Amino acid sequence: MEALTDDTSALRLDQGKYAASLASILEARARIQPYAHVTPVLTCASIDAEAGRNLHFKCENFQKGGAFKFRGACNAVFSLPEETAKRGVVTHSSGNHAAAVALAAQIRGIPAHIVVPKNAPSCKIANVERYGGNIVTCEPTMESREQTAKKVQDETGSVLILPFNDGRVMSGQGTVAVEFLEQVPSLDAIFVPISGGGLTSGIALAAKALKPSIKIFAAEPMGADDAAQSKAAGKIVTLPEVNTIADGLRAFLGDLTWPVVRDLVEDVITVSESEIVTAMRMCYERLKIVVEPSAVVGLAAVLSQRFQEGPHHLNCNSIGIILSGGNIDLDALWTSINQSIR
Amino acid sequence: MEALTDDTSALRLDQGKYAASLASILEARARIQPYAHVTPVLTCASIDAEAGRNLHFKCENFQKGGAFKFRGACNAVFSLPEETAKRGVVTHSSGNHAAAVALAAQIRGIPAHIVVPKNAPSCKIANVERYGGNIVTCEPTMESREQTAKKVQDETGSVLILPFNDGRVMSGQGTVAVEFLEQVPSLDAIFVPISGGGLTSGIALAAKALKPSIKIFAAEPMGADDAAQSKAAGKIVTLPEVNTIADGLRAFLGDLTWPVVRDLVEDVITVSESEIVTAMRMCYERLKIVVEPSAVVGLAAVLSQRFQEGPHHLNCNSIGIILSGGNIDLDALWTSINQSIR
C-alpha cells in the first residue's frame, strides 16, 4: 500500500470533520477481520478490451450475507459495549442491511429485531430469518417503519443501527477500500454504487487518505438520481419517487454521508435501466458471477458514453469497480431449468 | 504442498504406465502458466453446515474460456513444435473443448479448425467464433465428425487435438490438482465430474502422486452413467443413448483415460437431474457464481444420500469439489429481466 506521506490531505481528513475517518476505518477493519471475508478481485481480458482500460472487480457479492452491508453491520454490532449489546439491536430495512444486521447479531449471540414492511418480498424476509433475525412487521411507509423501530427500542432497550447514516456503518464499509488498495495498489479510480452514501463515503474517506491522487466516482440509476442532483445543487436533494430495477439504490443521502460525497466524490454518473441489464449480463456471462442489479451500476458507468466521452476518463487507466452484492431472485431461471429436466 | 516421500506409489505412478504422469503434469503447469488463470477456491459456511464437512470449491468456471478445458487445450497447442504448430490445429467438438482449442490457438497465433455438427446451438458456435476459430460444419453423427476432421487434417496438415483421450490434454487438466493441493493442502478427497475422463485422470494422477492418501471420487448423471457401469464391469462400457441436462458429460471413457479411472478412482457416484439442479441453485444463491449443469455433479454427489450413507464418507472431512465450468445459456433470465424494466 502507498504511504501517507505524499500529501497532507490524509491528515486533514482525520481531523474529525466527518463521521468516519481513516483511523475509525482501520479500527473497523481490525474489529470485523475475524468475521468478514477478504473478498477476491477478478479481472477479465475481454471486458478490458471493450472498456479500453484495466478493470478490477472487487467482489462484495462474495461477502458474508452476499453484500458489503455485512462490513458496516458487523462493525456496529461488535463496537457495542457488552452491557448494551446484550439488550440487542434493531433496524428498519427489508434489504441487504437487514440480513447483515441479523447475521452480525447472530455471530455475537445477541437478539436482532428487524422491522420489515408487510409488503416486503418473501425472499428478503427469508434472508433475515436464515440468520435468526426477529421479524417485526409494519405498514409500508417510512413513518410506520420509524415508529415501529422506536417502539421496539423502547420495549427491549435495543440499539438502532441505521443502514448508512451512522459513523460505525460508514467506517465498516470503508474497509472495502483499504483491502482493495492492498490488492491493487495501482488503482487510479474507484467506481461505487451510491444510494444512502454509506459505502461511497466510507470508500472515499479511506481511499483518499491512503492515496490522495485517487478519484472516486459514484454511479446511480437515472430513475433514482438524487445523488447526481444533490451534487449539482450543492445540497441534499430528495425525490418524490424513484423508478429502477436496482432495488438497493432507492435511498437518499443522509446528513453524515452527504458532506463526504460533496467534498471527496469526483462526479456522480447516472446510467439507464438497459445499461444496468447489459452490465449484469457481462458479469454473468464473462465474469461468471451472480450479482444483483444495484451491484453493477459502477461497471455500467465505466462503459457509458457519458464517462468514455467525458472529461474524467483521462488518466483513469486502472479502474476499481465495486460489485456491491449478489442477492437476487433467480426464480425465472429455475423455472426454466426445472421445465427442461421434466 | 506435501512431499512425495511418504509412499512409493508416487514413483510407481511415474513409470509410464499411463498416458500422463506427475512429471508431464508439472511440465504442463510450467507451459500453460503464462496463459491460464490460477483459479480461486471458495468456501461457504452455510453449505458446509448442510454437508456436515468442510467443502472447498475450485472454481474452473473462472478459467480462461469459462472452463477447465483451456488447461488441456493450451498444453497441447503450446507443446507442438514450431514447424508443426504453424500448420494449425483441428478438433471436432461443439462444447467447451472447441472454444478452448480456438482460444489457445489464437494466443499462439496459429489457425484452429473446429468441426461442429450443423445442429449445434448457436451460443456454442459463437464461443468458438469469439476466439477466432474457423468453423467447419458437418452432419450430426460421430462418423461425419471424424471424417470431416480427417479431411481438414489432410488438406491443411493441421494437428488433431482430441478432447480427452490424449496425454497432453490429460496432463493439462491435471494441473488443476497441483494448484488445488497448494491452495488447500488438507484435502482428504477430491470430487470430479466425469465424462471422457480427461479431467478425472489428470487430477487422479497428480493428486495421488502428491498425496497418496487422498481419495478421488468421480461424479456423473444417472442418465449418462457409463463410468459407473465401467467401474462395475471392470472394462469400458458405452451406452446406446444418454439423457441429462449436463451437456458436458455425455462422452464415454477412452482407452487412455480408462486405466487411470480403473486404478486410481475410489468410486463413481451417480446423481439425479433434480440433484443437479439443487446443486446449481446452491452455487448461484450461496456461492454467487455462475456454473453450468455439468459443473455441479461433484457437489451433488457430496450432498447425495449415496455418499452420506455410504462407506466412503468416513475420514472425508476436508473435501475438494471441482466446479468445472460456467458456460451456460441464461436467456430465460435475461428475457425475464428485460420484461421487468419495460
Side-chain angles (χ1 to χ4, degrees):
Chain A
M1 195 183 306
E2 302 195 11
L4 305 183
T5 50
D6 59 336
D7 191 303
T8 57
S9 64
L11 298 173
R12 288 203 307 273
L13 289 179
D14 267 2
Q15 299 309 308
K17 185 174 173 187
Y18 306 109
S21 65
L22 180 60
S24 71
I25 292 165
L26 293 175
E27 267 173 41
R29 192 196 197 197
R31 188 175 289 125
I32 71 174
Q33 180 271 323
Y35 316 109
H37 286 310
V38 173
T39 51
V41 175
L42 296 181
T43 61
C44 175
S46 76
I47 299 182
D48 281 2
E50 280 187 46
R53 52 199 91 221
N54 298 319
L55 307 186
H56 306 271
F57 296 93
K58 179 70 171 159
C59 294
E60 287 295 301
N61 55 326
F62 295 154
Q63 188 50 267
K64 289 258 176 81
F68 74 94
K69 289 283 189 182
F70 179 70
R71 294 174 185 264
C74 187
N75 188 48
V77 164
F78 279 86
S79 64
L80 297 174
E82 189 57 34
E83 279 305 299
T84 315
K86 67 185 186 192
R87 294 196 299 268
V89 290
V90 59
T91 194
H92 52 88
S93 158
S94 58
N96 289 329
H97 175 68
V101 168
L103 175 57
Q106 183 182 56
I107 292 170
R108 186 154 183 189
I110 62 173
H113 309 283
I114 313 293
V115 177
V116 173
K118 62 184 184 190
N119 63 349
S122 58
C123 67
K124 303 259 167 165
I125 294 175
N127 278 348
V128 172
E129 286 175 336
R130 183 186 309 153
Y131 300 128
N134 172 40
I135 302 276
V136 183
T137 51
C138 69
E139 296 301 312
T141 65
M142 187 52 78
E143 195 185 6
S144 171
R145 280 168 58 162
E146 289 175 353
Q147 278 177 357
T148 309
K150 183 72 176 58
K151 188 155 168 278
V152 172
Q153 275 181 278
D154 292 343
E155 286 171 7
T156 61
S158 54
V159 179
L160 182 66
I161 300 181
L162 291 170
F164 51 85
N165 206 44
D166 177 315
R168 301 163 300 184
V169 172
M170 293 161 66
S171 298
Q173 321 304 30
T175 63
V176 175
V178 178
E179 261 176 45
F180 205 178
L181 279 167
E182 284 177 356
Q183 292 166 312
V184 192
S186 68
L187 293 180
D188 300 317
I190 302 180
F191 278 68
V192 194
I194 195 164
S195 181
L199 180 63
T200 304
S201 60
I203 283 176
L205 286 165
K208 287 287 206 181
L210 292 168
K211 184 170 182 173
S213 66
I214 205 166
K215 291 177 178 168
I216 308 298
F217 294 94
E220 69 183 353
M222 289 174 181
D225 67 343
D226 59 295
Q229 290 196 36
S230 299
K231 280 288 270 188
K235 61 177 186 183
I236 298 178
V237 173
T238 61
L239 306 173
E241 63 180 21
V242 293
N243 179 20
T244 175
I245 187 180
D247 56 309
L249 302 181
R250 293 170 184 160
F252 307 130
L253 295 165
D255 64 334
L256 300 181
T257 56
W258 159 243
V260 187
V261 173
R262 178 192 64 205
D263 298 348
L264 302 182
V265 169
E266 202 74 27
D267 199 1
V268 181
I269 297 170
T270 58
V271 297
S272 70
E273 298 295 290
S274 72
E275 285 175 321
I276 292 172
V277 177
T278 299
M280 279 183 77
R281 261 190 103 135
M282 221 174 237
C283 290
Y284 282 69
E285 294 181 350
R286 315 268 194 95
L287 292 177
K288 309 294 182 190
I289 61 174
V290 172
V291 286
E292 58 189 270
S294 307
V296 303
V297 292
L299 173 58
V302 168
L303 297 172
S304 72
Q305 273 205 334
R306 286 171 296 296
F307 176 69
Q308 297 278 357
E309 296 175 0
H312 296 302
H313 72 283
L314 300 167
N315 305 318
C316 278
N317 293 316
S318 176
I319 293 185
I321 294 175
I322 311 291
L323 298 175
S324 53
N327 292 327
I328 179 175
D329 187 338
L330 296 175
D331 279 354
L333 179 63
W334 307 123
T335 301
S336 149
I337 288 179
N338 278 317
Q339 279 165 356
S340 77
I341 65 168
R342 254 177 227 136
Chain B
M1 196 184 305
E2 302 195 12
L4 305 183
T5 50
D6 59 336
D7 191 303
T8 57
S9 64
L11 298 173
R12 289 202 308 274
L13 289 180
D14 267 1
Q15 300 308 308
K17 185 173 172 187
Y18 307 109
S21 65
L22 180 61
S24 71
I25 292 164
L26 294 175
E27 269 174 39
R29 192 195 195 197
R31 188 175 287 124
I32 71 175
Q33 180 272 323
Y35 315 109
H37 286 309
V38 174
T39 51
V41 175
L42 297 181
T43 60
C44 175
S46 76
I47 300 182
D48 282 1
E50 280 187 45
R53 51 200 92 221
N54 298 318
L55 308 186
H56 306 270
F57 296 93
K58 179 70 170 160
C59 293
E60 287 296 300
N61 55 326
F62 295 153
Q63 188 51 266
K64 289 259 176 80
F68 74 94
K69 289 283 189 183
F70 179 69
R71 295 174 184 261
C74 187
N75 188 48
V77 164
F78 278 87
S79 65
L80 297 174
E82 189 57 34
E83 280 305 300
T84 315
K86 67 186 187 192
R87 293 196 299 268
V89 289
V90 58
T91 195
H92 53 86
S93 158
S94 58
N96 288 330
H97 175 68
V101 168
L103 176 55
Q106 183 183 56
I107 292 170
R108 186 154 182 187
I110 62 173
H113 309 284
I114 313 292
V115 177
V116 173
K118 63 185 183 188
N119 62 350
S122 58
C123 68
K124 303 259 167 165
I125 293 175
N127 278 347
V128 172
E129 286 175 336
R130 183 188 308 154
Y131 300 128
N134 172 39
I135 302 276
V136 184
T137 51
C138 69
E139 296 301 312
T141 65
M142 187 51 79
E143 193 184 9
S144 171
R145 280 168 59 160
E146 289 176 352
Q147 277 176 358
T148 309
K150 183 72 176 58
K151 186 154 169 278
V152 172
Q153 274 181 276
D154 292 344
E155 286 170 9
T156 61
S158 54
V159 179
L160 182 65
I161 300 182
L162 292 170
F164 51 84
N165 205 43
D166 177 315
R168 301 163 299 184
V169 172
M170 292 160 68
S171 298
Q173 321 305 30
T175 63
V176 175
V178 179
E179 262 176 44
F180 204 0
L181 279 168
E182 283 177 358
Q183 292 167 313
V184 192
S186 68
L187 293 180
D188 299 316
I190 302 180
F191 278 69
V192 195
I194 194 163
S195 181
L199 180 63
T200 304
S201 61
I203 284 176
L205 286 165
K208 287 288 209 182
L210 293 167
K211 184 169 182 174
S213 66
I214 205 167
K215 290 177 179 169
I216 308 300
F217 294 93
E220 70 183 352
M222 289 173 181
D225 66 343
D226 59 294
Q229 290 196 34
S230 299
K231 280 286 270 187
K235 62 176 186 183
I236 298 178
V237 173
T238 61
L239 306 173
E241 62 179 20
V242 292
N243 179 21
T244 175
I245 187 180
D247 56 310
L249 301 181
R250 294 171 183 160
F252 307 131
L253 295 165
D255 63 335
L256 300 181
T257 55
W258 159 244
V260 186
V261 174
R262 177 192 65 205
D263 298 348
L264 302 183
V265 169
E266 201 74 25
D267 199 1
V268 181
I269 296 169
T270 58
V271 297
S272 71
E273 297 296 289
S274 72
E275 284 174 321
I276 292 173
V277 177
T278 299
M280 280 183 76
R281 263 190 101 135
M282 221 173 237
C283 290
Y284 283 68
E285 294 181 352
R286 313 267 195 96
L287 291 177
K288 309 294 182 188
I289 61 174
V290 171
V291 285
E292 57 189 90
S294 307
V296 304
V297 292
L299 173 57
V302 169
L303 297 171
S304 71
Q305 273 206 334
R306 286 171 295 296
F307 176 70
Q308 298 277 358
E309 295 175 359
H312 297 303
H313 73 283
L314 299 168
N315 305 317
C316 278
N317 293 315
S318 176
I319 292 185
I321 294 175
I322 312 291
L323 298 175
S324 53
N327 293 326
I328 179 175
D329 187 339
L330 296 174
D331 280 354
L333 180 62
W334 307 124
T335 301
S336 149
I337 288 178
N338 278 318
Q339 279 166 356
S340 78
I341 65 168
R342 253 177 226 135

